[in-house]
Amino acid sequence: MEYRTDEQVEARARQIVPLPNGDIDQLKELIDGVRTAADLMESLIQPFDGEIDVSTMSRTVEGNR
């Protein structure tokens, strides 16, 4: 589930830990900032259409595993 609305964020936060209202408001601001940054990063990612060979991603620059 995505937590896109303040109500969704608040409900999920209260499931995890009891928080006073002031802390919930600060949490919402933090999550809004993280969400904005993640959305921006997602918009900058170019599709590679299967061009990346993930089997070689664990190798070092020298080609060692």
Side-chain angles (χ1 to χ4, degrees):
M1 174 181 187
E2 287 192 32
Y3 303 101
R4 287 286 173 175
T5 67
D6 285 350
E7 293 78 20
Q8 290 172 325
V9 170
E10 184 172 344
R12 181 63 179 140
R14 290 192 188 280
Q15 287 176 349
I16 296 169
V17 65
L19 292 170
N21 289 340
D23 290 348
I24 289 284
D25 293 338
Q26 289 180 346
L27 178 64
K28 288 177 189 175
E29 290 177 22
L30 173 64
I31 290 175
D32 284 342
V34 170
R35 183 183 304 126
T36 300
D39 289 344
L40 177 59
M41 287 174 47
E42 183 180 26
S43 73
L44 297 173
I45 295 173
Q46 298 293 317
F48 290 102
D49 299 325
E51 296 174 18
I52 296 176
D53 181 5
V54 294
S55 66
T56 61
M57 294 180 78
S58 63
R59 294 186 181 160
T60 64
V61 175
E62 293 83 23
N64 300 324
R65 286 192 181 262

